[in-house]
Amino acid sequence: MEFFESYGLILIILAAGVGFVMAWGIGANDVANAMGTSVGSKALTIKQAIIIAMIFEFAGAYLAGGEVTSTIRKGIIDSTYFIDIPEYLVLGMISSLLAAGIWLAVASWLGWPVSTTHSIIGAIIGFTATGVSMDAVAWDKVGGIVGSWVVTPAISGIIAYLIFMSAHKLIFQTASPFANAKRYVPFYMALAGFVMSLVTIKKGLKHVGLELSDVNGYLLAIGIAVALGFLGKWFIGRMKFSGSEDADLQAANVEKVFALLMVVTACCMAFAHGSNDVANAIGPLAAVVSVVSSGGEINSSTTLAPWILPLGGLGIVAGLALFGHRVIKTIGQGITHLTPSRGFAAELAAACTVVIASGTGLPISTTQTLVGAVLGVGLARGVSALNLGIVRNIVVSWVVTLPAGAILSIIFFYILKASFGVA
């Protein structure tokens, strides 16, 4: 097609630039899902969290981000409408990446934890509905996304509440909390190992050539859980603690044990997040590269060019390093006061919800999952433990994300159409 012959290289360079902007936004905003609770509970300093996240987010994105990625993210639009106008798809995807990237940068600056998935989906819906056809949008899937604003935080909040209350009853409310921590925390470690292994297996390993059947995946997760439980028991036995019977010192000893556990869960969440959410940046970018390279042919999926995954990984790391601290502060300190045991309950609940969603096909946002879990932990101590002003701002930012992405992408789409002289 003449359009792609004339502008092919310019379009790919432009798409790579805005793809990096989108990945930067993911790093700035979404990475707080993995690190916010660890920092808020003082298990890690902000500097340590950023270094750990940079390593594991990049590893997840690069090693497990996917050799083949869906061209149209989440099947939210019908690609058959673009067969005769592939240039609209290319310009629309570039517009969507820029729109979602800018919205994520604004939200990150304000410290709002919004959904990167919903940002890009809103942007894709915007240019498709106005520039092509309302019928090209799968509106039933949009309804599922709106429903997930309530369902996802509710599920993770309930699980977090139950995990935290179980620790409270089994450990903190007993006559000898530290002795009970030594007894029960290895079981929590095993549970964390099982859930985190499943998250990583379901989200990542198939792209590294280690695709496991469901049975083998569960067996591997059980093996890791048992090993981690024994390792935790051995490690706790070697840790040095105050021998005082003072209740406050005993509680501090228990929190030290949970702090160790939080570092492990944070690393796993960062890897799983990098492997999963990098697709929000590289999916539309891969679509542009595929259509331009084939001269206008639209495929349902495409093999990634070798430079795309590193670009996404570097973008995530750059956004995290420069802007990540703002959203980490909101999740870790703004919603409720977190200790390592509360932060662990929230993070494990978020991971459990991701596993449930993977098995049932529930459309979820990792951001909303973790915010719901932190709310659940806060509610375990009563409504007064929550900063309702921050909670209100977060909910408003979730509602605004879809239309914000859509409006920005519509504006950029028509600007690009005019710039490239597309009718």
Side-chain angles (χ1 to χ4, degrees):
M1 224 178 131
E2 195 179 322
F3 175 76
F4 296 113
E5 286 173 12
S6 304
Y7 300 115
L9 183 60
I10 295 170
L11 290 167
I12 288 177
I13 291 170
L14 193 57
V18 294
F20 184 86
V21 169
M22 176 62 183
W24 189 95
I26 293 171
N29 200 286
D30 243 18
V31 85
N33 301 337
M35 293 296 151
T37 50
S38 304
V39 173
S41 64
K42 307 283 194 297
L44 292 169
T45 65
I46 191 95
K47 194 172 180 181
Q48 289 168 335
I50 285 175
I51 291 168
I52 288 174
M54 283 166 72
I55 294 166
F56 283 90
E57 288 275 340
F58 184 83
Y62 186 66
L63 295 175
E67 289 305 314
V68 178
T69 188
S70 170
T71 304
I72 311 296
R73 186 81 174 116
K74 304 285 186 191
I76 205 75
I77 58 174
D78 184 351
S79 60
T80 56
Y81 282 82
F82 294 91
I83 289 171
D84 296 326
I85 45 169
E87 64 275 18
Y88 275 42
L89 180 65
V90 168
L91 296 179
M93 287 299 175
I94 292 172
S95 306
S96 298
L97 285 168
L98 182 57
I102 287 173
W103 169 244
L104 289 173
V106 170
S108 302
W109 176 257
L110 294 168
W112 292 347
V114 298
S115 168
T116 55
T117 306
H118 296 173
S119 300
I120 191 69
I121 285 175
I124 290 172
I125 289 169
F127 90 83
T128 304
T130 58
V132 183
S133 168
M134 291 285 282
D135 297 332
V137 177
W139 292 107
D140 56 328
K141 293 200 174 184
V142 179
I145 290 166
V146 173
S148 75
W149 293 345
V150 176
V151 175
T152 305
I155 293 171
S156 61
I158 291 166
I159 295 171
Y161 178 87
L162 294 173
I163 293 169
F164 176 68
M165 290 309 290
S166 73
H168 207 56
K169 291 274 193 295
L170 293 172
I171 298 170
F172 288 98
Q173 284 187 331
T174 60
S176 50
F178 182 53
N180 282 318
K182 288 166 92 170
R183 183 180 304 139
Y184 291 116
V185 166
F187 289 100
Y188 284 111
M189 284 192 166
L191 177 61
F194 177 72
V195 174
M196 292 295 171
S197 302
L198 277 184
V199 170
T200 307
I201 289 163
K202 285 181 175 292
K203 293 288 185 187
L205 294 183
K206 60 187 175 188
H207 298 312
V208 197
L210 293 174
E211 187 162 5
L212 301 171
S213 67
D214 281 349
V215 173
N216 288 339
Y218 280 105
L219 287 174
L220 176 61
I222 290 167
I224 291 169
V226 172
L228 198 61
F230 281 112
L231 187 68
K233 192 171 180 62
W234 176 80
F235 213 100
I236 293 166
R238 292 180 63 86
M239 290 173 79
K240 297 283 184 283
F241 299 100
S242 165
S244 169
E245 291 297 315
D246 180 74
D248 289 339
L249 277 172
Q250 286 246 341
N253 287 343
V254 173
E255 293 295 356
K256 267 192 208 172
V257 177
F258 276 105
L260 167 74
L261 188 50
M262 280 213 71
V263 177
V264 179
T265 56
C267 293
C268 293
M269 282 295 278
F271 184 89
H273 175 260
S275 67
N276 184 54
D277 277 24
V278 72
N280 289 326
I282 66 172
L285 173 56
V288 172
V289 174
S290 170
V291 175
V292 171
S293 303
S294 62
E297 189 181 331
I298 296 172
N299 300 308
S300 59
S301 63
T302 177
T303 302
L304 291 181
W307 55 270
I308 292 179
L309 267 177
L311 180 86
L314 287 171
I316 285 178
V317 167
L320 163 66
L322 293 171
F323 255 27
H325 62 282
R326 289 177 175 269
V327 182
I328 284 176
K329 195 172 177 186
T330 300
I331 293 251
Q333 298 168 1
I335 299 171
T336 190
H337 174 66
L338 290 176
T339 61
S341 58
R342 293 172 198 153
F344 166 72
E347 208 153 83
L348 183 56
C352 288
T353 309
V354 170
V355 171
I356 292 166
S358 298
T360 58
L362 185 75
I364 66 157
S365 153
T366 45
T367 304
Q368 292 169 358
T369 303
L370 194 82
V371 169
V374 173
L375 285 172
V377 169
L379 281 171
R381 296 182 301 127
V383 177
S384 60
L386 299 176
N387 185 334
L388 295 177
I390 294 283
V391 174
R392 184 195 63 234
N393 289 346
I394 289 171
V395 172
V396 169
S397 73
W398 289 355
V399 175
V400 169
T401 292
L402 274 176
I407 291 164
L408 286 171
S409 79
I410 291 165
I411 294 167
F412 295 141
F413 179 63
Y414 284 105
I415 290 171
L416 284 175
K417 271 182 68 179
S419 303
F420 284 96
V422 175

